[in-house]
C-alpha cells in the first residue's frame, strides 16, 4: 500500500469512528463491514453527516457474548444502519449513547433477551427506527428516550418490546415512541411471564399506538400493552401472565385502534395486573382508554392488589 493511501485511510478512519479493540475496515470515512468491539471497547461515530457504519446484509455493530462494558457513541449526524440489526447486544453492561440515527430492518437496537443488558440513552436529536421493531429490551436494561423511536413498517409485538425473559428493566420516555403514522403496531408491549414480571415505565412524552389491526394480533395498535406468551403468534387460552411493576404517565398514551379490546393501556385477557398505574396525563383510545383483561382457561384476570390512581389532572 502506498504511504499516501495509508494516510488517507487513517484520516478517514479517525474522522468517522474511534474503535478500541475491534477489527474493522475503513475507507473514505464510511465503514461497510460489521464492527465487533471487544470487552471494554468504545465505538464513536462523529458528527460528520458523511460518516456512517452501514454494512449490507449484516448487523452494523455486533457486541458479541463476553464483550462486556462496551460503549457506543453515535453523535448527531452519525448513522448506524444494519440488516437485520443496527446495534445488537449479546453481552452485559453495554452503554449506547445515540444523538444520530440508528436503524435496522428487523431491530434498530436489539438487547438479546437472555444475555444482553445495558443502558440506551437516545437524546433529543436521536432517532431509532426499524421496519419491524425499533428497540428490543434485554435483561435489567435501562432505556432513556428524549428523541424519536419510531416504526418505518408495521411493528411486530411493539415498537419497544420486552419478552418474558426480560425483567427488572426501566423505561423513561420524555420524547416520542410512535409505531408510525399510517402503519400498525403498539408503542410499547411486554410479554409477561406466568410467575410475574416487574419493570417500570415513566412517561412524560408520547407513546402512540397506530392502526386498527385485530386486537389479538401482534401488530395491534395499543399505546401500552401487557400481554402473555403467544402460541403460533396467537394469544390462545393456554398461557397467562402477571405484572407487578409500576407505570407512571404524565404525558400522552394513545391508541387509534377501533378494534376489539385494544386501548391506550391494555392488560390483555389472560393477564393479571397486580402492579400500579399512576396517571396525571392522558391515556386515550378509540375503543378503550384503559382495559384490564378477563381470565382465560389458563388463568389470569386476577387484578387483586392492583392499584390505579388517576389524579385530578389525569384523563
Amino acid at each position: 500500500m502506498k504511504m499516501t493511501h495509508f494516510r488517507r485511510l487513517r484520516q478517514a478512519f479517525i474522522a468517522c469512528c474511534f474503535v478500541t479493540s475491534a477489527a474493522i475496515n475503513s475507507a473514505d470515512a464510511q465503514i461497510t463491514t460489521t464492527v465487533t468491539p471487544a470487552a471494554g471497547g468504545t465505538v464513536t461515530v462523529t458528527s460528520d453527516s458523511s460518516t456512517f457504519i452501514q454494512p449490507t446484509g449484516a448487523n452494523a455493530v455486533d457486541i458479541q457474548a463476553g464483550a462486556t462494558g462496551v460503549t457506543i457513541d453515535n453523535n448527531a449526524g452519525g448513522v448506524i444502519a444494519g440488516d437485520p440489526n443496527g446495534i445488537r447486544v449479546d453481552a452485559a453492561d453495554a452503554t449506547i449513547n445515540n444523538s444520530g440515527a440508528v436503524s435496522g430492518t428487523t431491530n434498530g437496537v436489539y438487547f438479546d433477551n437472555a444475555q444482553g443488558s445495558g443502558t440506551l440513552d437516545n437524546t433529543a436529536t436521536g432517532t431509532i427506527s426499524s421496519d419491524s421493531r425499533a428497540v428490543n429490551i434485554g435483561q435489567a436494561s435501562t432505556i432513556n428516550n428524549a428523541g424519536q423511536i419510531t416504526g418505518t413498517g408495521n411493528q411486530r409485538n411493539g415498537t419497544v418490546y420486552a419478552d418474558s425473559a426480560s425483567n427488572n428493566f426501566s423505561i423513561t420516555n420524555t420524547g416520542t415512541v410512535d409505531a408510525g403514522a399510517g402503519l400498525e403496531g403498539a408503542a410499547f408491549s411486554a410479554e409477561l411471564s406466568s410467575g410475574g414480571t416487574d419493570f417500570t415505565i415513566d412517561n412524560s412524552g408520547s407513546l402512540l399506538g397506530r392502526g386498527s389491526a385485530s386486537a389479538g394480533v401482534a401488530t395491534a395498535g395499543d399505546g401500552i400493552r401487557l400481554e402473555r406468551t403467544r402460541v403460533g403468534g396467537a394469544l390462545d387460552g393456554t398461557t397467562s401472565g402477571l405484572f407487578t411493576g409500576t407505570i407512571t404517565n404524565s404525558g400522552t398514551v394513545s391508541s387509534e385502534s377501533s378494534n376489539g379490546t385494544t386501548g391506550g393501556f391494555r392488560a390483555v385477557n389472560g393477564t393479571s395486573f397486580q402492579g400500579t398505574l399512576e396517571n396525571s396525563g392522558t391515556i386515550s383510545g378509540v375503543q378503550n382508554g384503559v382495559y384490564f383483561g378477563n381470565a382465560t382457561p389458563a388463568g389470569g384476570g386476577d387484578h387483586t392488589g392492583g392499584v390505579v390512581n388517576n389524579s385530578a389532572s389525569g384523563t
Side-chain angles (χ1 to χ4, degrees):
M1 178 182 292
K2 293 181 179 179
M3 185 60 68
T4 54
H5 184 58
F6 174 81
R7 287 186 181 130
R8 183 170 63 84
L9 288 180
R10 182 176 181 273
Q11 289 167 355
F13 171 78
I14 292 171
C16 172
C17 307
F18 174 75
V19 183
T20 303
S21 301
I24 65 170
N25 296 315
S26 170
D28 298 326
Q30 299 171 359
I31 298 175
T32 57
T33 56
T34 300
V35 174
T36 55
T42 299
V43 178
T44 301
V45 182
T46 70
S47 58
D48 184 343
S49 61
S50 67
T51 64
F52 58 75
I53 303 173
Q54 191 169 356
T56 299
N59 298 331
V61 178
D62 199 343
I63 303 174
Q64 298 178 349
T68 59
V70 169
T71 298
I72 309 296
D73 292 319
N74 188 37
N75 292 302
V79 174
I80 298 175
D83 177 10
N85 303 299
I87 301 172
R88 180 178 176 118
V89 181
D90 285 285
D93 301 325
T95 299
I96 301 171
N97 301 309
N98 181 52
S99 298
V102 177
S103 64
T105 56
T106 304
N107 301 281
V109 176
Y110 181 87
F111 288 94
D112 180 73
N113 297 322
Q115 59 188 355
S117 67
T119 300
L120 169 61
D121 284 320
N122 193 47
T123 72
T125 62
T127 63
I128 301 173
S129 63
S130 174
D131 293 341
S132 183
R133 179 183 298 156
V135 176
N136 190 89
I137 300 174
Q139 288 290 326
S141 295
T142 300
I143 311 297
N144 301 312
N145 177 51
Q148 301 283 325
I149 298 177
T150 188
T152 50
N154 293 339
Q155 298 294 286
R156 75 188 197 284
N157 297 106
T159 311
V160 177
Y161 174 75
D163 86 347
S164 60
S166 303
N167 204 0
N168 298 316
F169 59 87
S170 67
I171 299 172
T172 301
N173 180 54
T174 59
T176 299
V177 179
D178 186 352
L183 301 172
E184 295 178 347
F188 170 81
S189 178
E191 178 190 63
L192 308 177
S193 70
S194 59
T197 301
D198 188 341
F199 60 84
T200 63
I201 296 176
D202 188 347
N203 177 57
S204 58
S206 297
L207 300 174
L208 308 177
R210 296 288 192 171
S212 200
S214 173
V217 302
T219 56
D222 304 282
I224 295 174
R225 182 170 70 244
L226 306 181
E227 61 177 51
R228 49 195 170 79
T229 300
R230 292 176 179 270
V231 178
L235 290 171
D236 69 4
T238 64
T239 65
S240 64
L242 170 64
F243 177 71
T244 59
T246 300
I247 297 170
T248 302
N249 177 56
S250 58
T252 298
V253 181
S254 69
S255 167
E256 61 185 23
S257 174
S258 58
N259 234 323
T261 59
T262 54
F265 169 89
R266 176 168 61 129
V268 306
N269 294 335
T271 63
S272 296
F273 182 89
Q274 297 179 6
T276 300
L277 174 61
E278 300 271 358
N279 181 52
S280 58
T282 299
I283 302 175
S284 64
V286 174
Q287 190 75 353
N288 295 285
V290 175
Y291 179 89
F292 294 98
N294 301 310
T296 63
D302 180 2
H303 310 304
T304 304
V307 176
V308 178
N309 290 322
N310 190 48
S311 73
S313 61
T315 57

